[in-house]
Amino acid sequence: EAGVAQSPRYKIIEKRQSVAFWCNPISGHATLYWYQQILGQGPKLLIQFQNNGVVDDSQLPKDRFSAERLKGVDSTLKIQPAKLEDSAVYLCASSSRLGRGGYNNEQFFGPGTRLTVL
Amino acid sequence: DQQVKQNSPSLSVQEGRISILNCDYTNSMFDYFLWYKKYPAEGPTFLISISSIKDKNEDGRFTVFLNKSAKHLSLHIVPSQPGDSAVYFCAASMDSNYQLIWGAGTKLIIKP
């Protein structure tokens, strides 16, 4: 079974530029997550999709971040314009969970995209 | 407001000995806890989990203990092996909202 794919693996941009990250989840996984992990911290959820609908985007800085999941499969996360504090690893994860309840919270992660904003 | 805390940024253990990683939480509504392991340049991978109805879960060399009254959980690795060197994250969720809340991680170094 192929894992979660992300690209690019590394990106260096200057502040005020825009950047986009791509994620392809595990086939059949309905739920997709984007996390931001700043150095020395745990991952912070930015947005969660179930199929192509948004379940939770309460921590997404909507003035500069946007995300979409077309056709309930691949997803893109965009930052425009980037700030210095956006330097982090952006992780995509997917899980097979549908709906709420139950205890199967296992999420499968991609390798991440390391963003450096200069 | 850190709801999940891993107070030890790093831990060094001799190969073959027991590694104990600790995690504290503040939200009594959390009812499911997970440990993830992360190697450099890779995403976290699921290791072991425990629900609040249990106080212990074991999987091979890995055992997680949950003390609900103390809002504390720990991961025991016995015996520790060089391949266990990684960053270990504790995460928690509430069944009614399955978003994972993560600790900052503990870097485990296994010395040969």
Side-chain angles (χ1 to χ4, degrees):
Chain A
E1 178 181 72
V4 177
Q6 288 188 249
S7 68
R9 292 295 309 275
Y10 304 91
K11 190 74 177 179
I12 300 174
I13 62 173
E14 303 211 339
K15 60 183 178 183
R16 290 188 288 274
Q17 285 187 322
S18 62
V19 64
F21 312 126
W22 173 83
C23 173
N24 180 238
I26 291 174
S27 177
H29 280 192
T31 311
L32 185 146
Y33 314 79
W34 281 104
Y35 288 90
Q36 179 192 59
Q37 185 179 13
I38 292 172
L39 188 65
Q41 299 180 19
K44 183 184 88 170
L45 180 70
L46 293 176
I47 188 167
Q48 178 180 346
F49 292 94
Q50 188 146 305
N51 297 308
N52 59 351
V54 175
V55 174
D56 184 347
D57 63 357
S58 57
Q59 298 190 88
L60 186 73
K62 298 180 186 65
D63 57 334
R64 299 184 300 105
F65 286 65
S66 64
E68 61 182 6
R69 189 181 184 196
L70 299 175
K71 300 180 182 178
V73 182
D74 293 5
S75 177
T76 55
L77 176 70
K78 296 180 182 178
I79 308 175
Q80 182 179 11
K83 293 185 175 181
L84 296 177
E85 59 261 36
D86 297 333
S87 293
V89 175
Y90 290 84
L91 294 163
C92 178
S94 69
S95 71
S96 60
R97 285 195 59 173
L98 292 174
R100 298 180 184 274
Y103 292 96
N104 180 19
N105 271 352
E106 183 178 352
Q107 298 178 17
F108 296 83
F109 284 82
T113 297
R114 180 176 296 278
L115 174 67
T116 303
V117 182
L118 302 175
Chain B
D1 176 26
Q2 270 190 295
Q3 297 187 66
V4 178
K5 299 179 184 179
Q6 294 177 257
N7 292 318
S8 298
S10 66
L11 175 67
S12 187
V13 174
Q14 201 74 34
E15 181 180 356
R17 306 293 290 268
I18 183 171
S19 295
I20 300 176
L21 296 101
N22 294 303
C23 178
D24 296 294
Y25 61 96
T26 57
N27 191 335
S28 57
M29 296 298 291
F30 288 142
D31 63 358
Y32 194 61
F33 304 89
L34 305 90
W35 285 93
Y36 277 77
K37 176 179 177 179
K38 184 183 184 301
Y39 293 117
E42 295 183 11
T45 56
F46 171 75
L47 190 58
I48 192 169
S49 63
I50 188 168
S51 76
S52 58
I53 61 174
K54 295 184 176 182
D55 55 17
K56 176 183 174 181
N57 188 26
E58 194 171 349
D59 183 2
R61 296 185 298 113
F62 302 92
T63 303
V64 57
F65 295 92
L66 175 62
N67 182 335
K68 289 189 291 292
S69 61
K71 295 191 180 70
H72 176 83
L73 65 156
S74 60
L75 174 67
H76 294 211
I77 306 173
V78 182
S80 300
Q81 298 175 354
D84 297 330
S85 294
V87 177
Y88 289 78
F89 290 97
C90 168
S93 75
M94 293 175 273
D95 189 50
S96 61
N97 172 5
Y98 43 87
Q99 178 185 145
L100 292 181
I101 307 298
W102 297 72
T106 296
K107 183 175 184 179
L108 176 64
I109 300 164
I110 305 301
K111 299 179 293 185

